[in-house]
Amino acid sequence: MSLSTALSIAASGLGVYSRLSEIAANNIANADVEGFVRKEGSLASVTRDGRGLGVALSDILRHANPALAREARRESALGAFLDVQAEALAAYAVELGHPGDGRSIASALARLEQAFISLAETPESASLQREVVHAAHAVTASLADLSASVRRLREDAELQIRGEVDIVNQSLSELERVNDEIKLLAGTGRDVTALEDQRDRLIDAVAERIPVREIRRAPNDILLLTEQGVPLFDGTAAQIRFTRTAGIAPAAIYA
């Protein structure tokens, strides 16, 4: 073996282990970064005419678990849904009031019932008649206030839905850009694992708002569907639309 060959083999080893040290340092630095996936270098021998000429970094592997990612996204979406539902119900409960609260509808109805009972005992009493009328007015006023509060809650919900739709559209648009970059760079043999982390974070952002199914397609491509099979990303990003209701009637429902 010539001296130049020996030096070349040694240089290949130093270069590869320098790159492995860089990968390890990157793993440590990003350990607490949300969405980061640990990377590991894969080594391969370099040979020519049956002779060993050193070592090379053949690939960088992401230790991602697709099944675990699916479960995490499903639970994240469920948690976000329950948080929104709990927040809306808490606001509604405040407006409805607790039975022991003198301002609640339950208390107003109890006062109306008691006024009717008293009037039944002395129906000719003008003062008791006025008490019934006042109690009935209090009930109708409470119902009107509650109806207005529910309408405001629904209008606020529509504003929030529009904001969430904007986030989904922005995430899908960015997903299209990142996915194209992954396919382009992967075709030249470049390391795309950091871009794959970014792509997964964008999918997480969508999945938190719309339950999705991710299908991996070779090479370095994905298909993103809703759980009902509607394409959200298939090479290009779908555009989600939401139209606010001009007026929300008491009997209006969402399909």
Side-chain angles (χ1 to χ4, degrees):
M1 177 186 294
S2 66
L3 179 59
S4 62
T5 300
L7 290 175
S8 176
I9 293 173
S12 73
L14 289 173
V16 165
Y17 280 95
S18 173
R19 185 72 179 97
L20 290 176
S21 298
E22 180 183 336
I23 293 171
N26 196 47
N27 286 336
I28 295 171
N30 290 278
D32 294 330
V33 175
E34 185 177 355
F36 178 79
V37 176
R38 184 171 64 89
K39 316 297 189 302
E40 181 180 354
S42 176
L43 305 182
S45 298
V46 178
T47 60
R48 182 183 303 162
D49 299 329
R51 298 173 55 195
L53 295 179
V55 66
L57 187 65
S58 63
D59 197 8
I60 298 178
L61 307 176
R62 294 175 75 240
H63 287 273
N65 187 325
L68 187 60
R70 283 195 299 271
E71 288 299 320
R73 286 168 182 161
R74 184 178 294 111
E75 293 302 317
S76 176
L78 177 60
F81 166 74
L82 292 176
D83 286 343
V84 171
Q85 189 179 60
E87 182 180 348
L89 290 175
Y92 180 71
V94 168
E95 297 295 336
L96 189 62
H98 298 287
D101 184 359
R103 297 174 57 253
S104 68
I105 290 180
S107 295
L109 288 171
R111 287 193 294 270
L112 178 59
E113 181 183 16
Q114 185 58 49
F116 271 120
I117 292 173
S118 299
L119 181 61
E121 295 174 354
T122 317
E124 69 279 3
S125 172
S127 61
L128 292 178
Q129 292 171 4
R130 287 192 296 271
E131 285 294 327
V132 168
V133 173
H134 291 159
H137 284 167
V139 170
T140 57
S142 295
L143 290 173
D145 290 343
L146 181 61
S147 178
S149 298
V150 170
R151 185 175 62 253
R152 286 195 300 271
L153 288 173
R154 295 177 71 173
E155 290 171 351
D156 291 345
E158 287 209 336
L159 286 173
Q160 292 178 18
I161 291 172
R162 186 174 66 179
E164 296 298 301
V165 167
D166 289 342
I167 292 174
V168 169
N169 283 329
Q170 291 168 7
S171 299
L172 290 174
S173 178
E174 183 68 7
L175 177 62
E176 180 178 343
R177 184 193 67 79
V178 171
N179 195 68
D180 287 344
E181 190 173 356
I182 288 174
K183 291 190 292 185
L184 177 64
L185 294 180
T188 64
R190 299 272 296 276
D191 174 25
V192 296
T193 53
L195 286 171
E196 289 180 318
D197 286 352
Q198 185 179 356
R199 182 171 64 183
D200 280 355
R201 285 194 292 270
L202 291 168
I203 295 173
D204 290 343
V206 175
E208 187 175 343
R209 294 160 177 88
I210 302 175
V212 299
R213 289 190 294 122
E214 176 192 356
I215 300 175
R216 295 276 174 170
R217 300 193 299 193
N220 302 296
D221 197 8
I222 64 163
L223 171 65
L224 197 63
L225 306 169
T226 67
E227 288 193 336
Q228 293 76 28
V230 179
L232 291 174
F233 178 78
D234 186 5
T236 57
Q239 185 71 19
I240 310 301
R241 292 180 175 85
F242 175 73
T243 303
R244 287 192 62 196
T245 305
I248 302 177
I253 62 172
Y254 289 105

